[in-house]
Amino acid sequence: MAMENIRHKLALLPDQPGCYLMKNSEGTIIYVGKAKVLKNRVRSYFNGTHDGKTQKLVSEIRDFEYIVTASNTESLILECNLIKQHHPRYNVLLKDDKSFPYLKITNETHPRLEVTRRVVKDRAKYFGPYPNAFAAQQTKKLLDRLYPLRKCNTLPDKVCLYYHMGQCVAPCEFPVQPSEYDRMVGEISRFLNGGHTDIKKELQRKMEEAAEELQFERAREYRDQINAIDALMVKQTINLHDTQDRDVFGYAVDKGWMCVQILYMRQGKMIERHVSVFPYYGEPYEDFLSYVTQYYSDNPALPREMLLPVPPQEETAAADDASDDGEGVEAGEGAEVGESLRRWLKIKVAVPKRGTKRSLITMACDNARMALEEKFRLIERDEKRSVKAADGLAQWLGIPSAGRIEAFDNSNIQGANPVSAMVVFTDGKPDKKEYRKYNVRTVQGPDDYETMREVVRRRYERVLKENLALPDLIVVDGGRGHIAAAMDVLVNELGLDVPVCGLAKDAKHRTAELLVGDPPEVVPLPRDSQEFYLLQRIQDEVHRFAITFHREKRAKSMVASRLDAIPGIGEKRRKQLLRHFGSLKAIKEASVEDFKPLSIGEGLARRILDALNEESGGAEQPTV
């Protein structure tokens, strides 16, 4: 069944970059990987041959998830974050907990530009993360040529080679005004925050001039610097360099269902996500906000910031502003929503219309939309599989159809509180509106065969009387005796010709074999077939329904017997007490005055309380 589920999910994989998470039979994530095209990469695990390590991994996979990203760079960074979060056993090479590199401008009298993997609160400026150390170093190398900040960790006694190369202002020997440092730090910040377009244009001009002057080595250097900018200045939406803890919300709706995705960002990194799919009945955005408020009412661990999508009526304006580099949190319904949540939760709530944070919300919404589409496609495939299983079962049994199946099960404890239940499966799917419960009336003691006779008789007498649709197949929970009892009533008492089959269990109470016919014979149904799985689901469902009904009846009978044993309490007053108080526990905890609305005097009220408290052991005695 796990491989069947995997095959269906493989067919739904998108042609987009992202990360995938492989799970074993216990639901534990055993491998996290990245892909330029999720469909091709994930499918490759289940097609063809592999080396020993990969084959061992594939042999343990029972399920998988995937997260779509906007670019390959994002999938790389996300992969690292997921591995650090889940520590999958097969990600051996990435278990060293290395973080991605950042560029840092130190907060010193003579600031430096350096590459670091640690982000700390030292009032320095951090930019990144970058996909690898080489990319960060190349960017630093470019900036060192453009902005000659200090290079040495400690100031030397005299100028060094960097000064002679024009890459250092040499504060060790020459005075440098703070305004000069402010200018360079400001230009570096603008460059790393997206203002590199002007630099690229200048480099492009210099490259063309060098080429015209036949200075090809110099032109190649400019070309490499331009390529480095193109490779390294990709906008990142997975990570933010401000190390904030934030929750990013996105949602999607379709066919009366809503999917909400929450991306959890901790220390500026997306480490996890939460997916909820549920039906909604009002306006989508309003129901989405209702979900958000309920989520935080049960969740005391609040982030520093929450990001929410803009209301639908503001989406057009947000799309028009999407190219702007600012965050674009403007007035409107979204701002009002954010302010209301901020006041309630006492955290920062943003409804960005453009910029990096808007891109994060877009990614959350895209993943929500894909999760919803996958749900509908899986349901559609499941329905087709269910219909196919029902048709296949009919062929195995030699009957025209198994479109409507009615199944019965009995439940009692040594004959006490006997009940029975019937469930209906239409085209291989449970039809809960058609379920029925039966209180056994005529059978005394634990007699399963007579109970089956009574329930089948009552069910199909009513079917005939009310001209209801007959089932294509009747399934009884039991073996030859149960089949014989049901067929005796149907054929000899009611004159009905409806196929009856039985599901016999093994010593471990698991579905073992299918019996049909008169006399019943075993149908050689393969245990790994969809038809056998359908019968298992039917048997499990009718057993669950019967057991639940039996527990409810037993609980009510225990309450009724305790109240009936009290002098002065009859059936009418017992129902009145239970309707007013709701439970036996509430009656026991009531005071004498609480009985007055029921016209029960002080004497009877005390008698009720004394009787119930005596049964539960009375007052607690002190320990001697």
Side-chain angles (χ1 to χ4, degrees):
M1 292 308 303
M3 293 308 299
E4 183 73 15
N5 181 54
I6 286 175
R7 280 195 291 272
H8 290 305
K9 294 181 75 172
L10 288 175
L12 305 178
L13 284 166
D15 295 316
Q16 293 177 255
C19 290
Y20 52 91
L21 302 88
M22 301 299 192
K23 297 182 177 182
N24 62 12
S25 58
E26 299 176 354
T28 302
I29 296 173
I30 58 175
Y31 184 76
V32 174
K34 63 182 181 300
K36 293 181 180 179
V37 180
L38 281 168
K39 178 188 291 185
N40 297 342
R41 184 70 184 96
V42 178
R43 281 181 173 179
S44 69
Y45 283 91
F46 306 96
N47 298 324
T49 58
H50 307 285
D51 58 26
K53 176 180 178 293
T54 305
Q55 187 60 44
K56 181 69 169 64
L57 164 64
V58 173
S59 68
E60 293 188 24
I61 296 174
R62 294 297 179 270
D63 194 10
F64 68 86
E65 292 184 9
Y66 60 88
I67 302 175
V68 177
T69 59
S71 69
N72 297 331
T73 305
E74 290 175 5
S75 65
L76 173 69
I77 299 173
L78 177 58
E79 178 193 37
C80 179
N81 293 340
L82 291 172
I83 290 170
K84 291 179 181 179
Q85 174 70 16
H86 299 289
H87 302 288
R89 58 175 301 191
Y90 284 104
N91 286 96
V92 179
L93 298 178
L94 295 177
K95 283 185 176 180
D96 56 358
D97 199 34
K98 287 183 180 178
S99 58
F100 280 92
Y102 291 79
L103 283 177
K104 173 183 178 180
I105 303 176
T106 61
N107 181 38
E108 299 174 282
T109 304
H110 305 288
R112 292 176 295 122
L113 179 65
E114 61 182 26
V115 177
T116 181
R117 292 184 181 270
R118 296 178 63 247
V119 178
V120 296
K121 295 182 178 180
D122 55 359
R123 302 182 65 182
K125 294 181 181 294
Y126 292 88
F127 305 90
Y130 294 94
N132 54 66
F134 176 76
Q137 291 288 358
Q138 287 296 100
T139 303
K140 180 180 180 297
K141 183 178 179 181
L142 170 64
L143 292 172
D144 284 340
R145 293 172 181 173
L146 297 173
Y147 306 103
L149 292 178
R150 174 169 68 99
K151 301 295 183 293
C152 304
N153 292 330
T154 58
L155 293 179
D157 296 332
K158 58 181 180 179
V159 295
C160 62
L161 180 62
Y162 285 110
Y163 171 75
H164 296 292
M165 295 172 59
Q167 296 185 21
C168 181
V169 292
C172 56
E173 190 165 330
F174 305 102
V176 182
Q177 295 298 321
S179 59
E180 178 64 13
Y181 282 134
D182 292 342
R183 182 191 64 82
M184 288 191 289
V185 169
E187 291 188 11
I188 292 173
S189 299
R190 284 193 295 273
F191 176 88
L192 296 176
N193 281 325
H196 54 280
T197 304
D198 295 337
I199 301 295
K200 281 181 57 180
K201 290 180 180 179
E202 180 65 16
L203 291 173
Q204 183 75 23
R205 184 185 63 80
K206 291 181 178 180
M207 181 184 69
E208 292 173 356
E209 288 181 355
E212 289 177 0
E213 296 173 1
L214 304 181
Q215 297 179 4
F216 298 117
E217 290 293 329
R218 188 67 174 169
R220 187 181 67 176
E221 183 179 349
Y222 287 132
R223 182 204 64 189
D224 293 342
Q225 292 172 358
I226 293 173
N227 291 338
I229 292 175
D230 291 335
L232 303 175
M233 299 311 299
V234 178
K235 286 284 185 182
Q236 298 296 318
T237 59
I238 294 296
N239 288 38
L240 296 179
H241 62 263
D242 57 6
T243 69
Q244 283 278 15
D245 292 352
R246 55 171 57 88
D247 290 349
V248 182
F249 283 82
Y251 76 100
V253 294
D254 193 13
K255 299 181 180 68
W257 285 80
M258 177 179 293
C259 176
V260 176
Q261 289 243 358
I262 310 173
L263 307 181
Y264 300 104
M265 300 194 71
R266 297 299 178 260
Q267 294 297 308
K269 299 178 181 180
M270 197 192 99
I271 62 170
E272 197 175 347
R273 67 170 179 165
H274 176 76
V275 184
S276 293
V277 181
F278 49 88
Y280 77 99
Y281 304 96
E283 290 296 320
Y285 194 76
E286 294 300 319
D287 281 10
F288 163 70
L289 292 178
S290 176
Y291 174 90
V292 173
T293 54
Q294 292 180 54
Y295 172 80
Y296 281 114
S297 66
D298 296 330
N299 183 8
L302 297 174
R304 295 289 299 275
E305 183 181 31
M306 182 202 315
L307 302 183
L308 297 176
V310 298
Q313 56 269 31
E314 299 179 27
E315 281 287 344
T316 304
D320 293 339
D321 294 336
S323 61
D324 194 290
D325 285 331
E327 293 304 332
V329 182
E330 301 174 358
E333 183 183 349
E336 294 176 5
V337 168
E339 179 63 18
S340 299
L341 289 171
R342 184 193 66 78
R343 291 179 179 177
W344 176 52
L345 298 172
K346 303 297 188 293
I347 64 173
K348 183 179 179 181
V349 180
V351 188
K353 294 186 177 181
R354 55 183 179 268
T356 303
K357 293 181 179 180
R358 167 68 181 180
S359 298
L360 282 170
I361 291 174
T362 300
M363 188 177 75
C365 291
D366 289 344
N367 276 280
R369 192 174 299 107
M370 297 193 70
L372 209 53
E373 291 174 358
E374 179 179 300
K375 173 184 173 65
F376 293 137
R377 290 176 183 174
L378 286 174
I379 289 175
E380 183 180 350
R381 286 172 174 269
D382 186 53
E383 288 177 349
K384 291 180 179 178
R385 188 173 70 237
S386 299
V387 172
K388 185 178 179 181
D391 292 341
L393 180 61
Q395 293 178 10
W396 275 99
L397 297 175
I399 59 178
S401 172
R404 180 183 175 91
I405 302 174
E406 297 184 358
F408 295 85
D409 189 20
N410 306 322
S411 181
N412 65 78
I413 297 180
Q414 296 183 346
N417 302 310
V419 299
S420 189
M422 181 196 75
V423 301
V424 178
F425 274 60
T426 303
D427 292 330
K429 304 286 288 185
D431 190 354
K432 296 191 176 183
K433 300 187 299 296
E434 298 286 328
Y435 286 14
R436 295 293 182 269
K437 302 173 182 177
Y438 296 93
N439 285 306
V440 178
R441 300 170 181 170
T442 62
V443 180
Q444 300 296 325
D447 191 335
D448 251 14
Y449 297 152
E450 285 303 316
T451 299
M452 185 63 65
R453 288 174 182 274
E454 177 187 329
V455 174
V456 170
R457 183 184 300 113
R458 288 168 56 186
R459 166 61 183 169
Y460 295 106
E461 280 181 346
R462 183 165 186 171
V463 167
L464 292 173
K465 182 179 179 180
E466 299 181 7
N467 198 27
L468 302 176
L470 282 168
D472 298 308
L473 177 66
I474 296 173
V475 178
V476 297
D477 188 62
R480 291 175 170 81
H482 294 83
I483 296 175
M487 291 190 66
D488 181 46
V489 172
L490 291 169
V491 176
N492 298 327
E493 296 185 24
L494 304 177
L496 295 175
D497 182 19
V498 181
V500 179
C501 68
L503 297 175
K505 295 186 176 70
D506 58 18
K508 296 183 179 180
H509 208 68
R510 296 177 301 190
T511 306
E513 55 186 9
L514 172 65
L515 303 170
V516 69
D518 185 19
E521 297 180 355
V522 176
V523 178
L525 199 60
R527 296 181 65 89
D528 60 350
S529 64
Q530 287 295 324
E531 293 81 4
F532 193 84
Y533 175 60
L534 172 61
L535 290 172
Q536 281 184 316
R537 284 193 295 148
I538 292 173
Q539 189 174 44
D540 291 343
E541 177 67 359
V542 70
H543 184 65
R544 178 200 65 79
F545 193 52
I547 287 292
T548 301
F549 179 41
H550 181 259
R551 287 172 179 166
E552 293 173 354
K553 183 178 179 182
R554 186 175 60 186
K556 290 180 180 179
S557 68
M558 291 174 65
V559 172
S561 62
R562 294 179 69 179
L563 290 174
D564 288 340
I566 302 173
I569 299 296
E571 182 179 357
K572 182 178 179 180
R573 185 156 278 174
R574 167 168 52 81
K575 291 181 179 179
Q576 188 182 28
L577 284 167
L578 290 173
R579 187 164 52 247
H580 178 76
F581 288 100
S583 67
L584 195 65
K585 181 181 179 183
I587 299 174
K588 290 169 61 177
E589 295 174 352
S591 64
V592 173
E593 289 74 17
D594 293 334
F595 290 87
K596 289 183 179 180
L598 300 177
S599 300
I600 294 178
E602 181 178 345
L604 180 56
R606 291 192 181 280
R607 197 156 59 244
I608 294 171
L609 293 174
D610 291 343
L612 294 179
N613 287 313
E614 282 176 7
E615 287 185 15
S616 60
E620 182 176 332
Q621 300 299 318
T623 303
V624 179

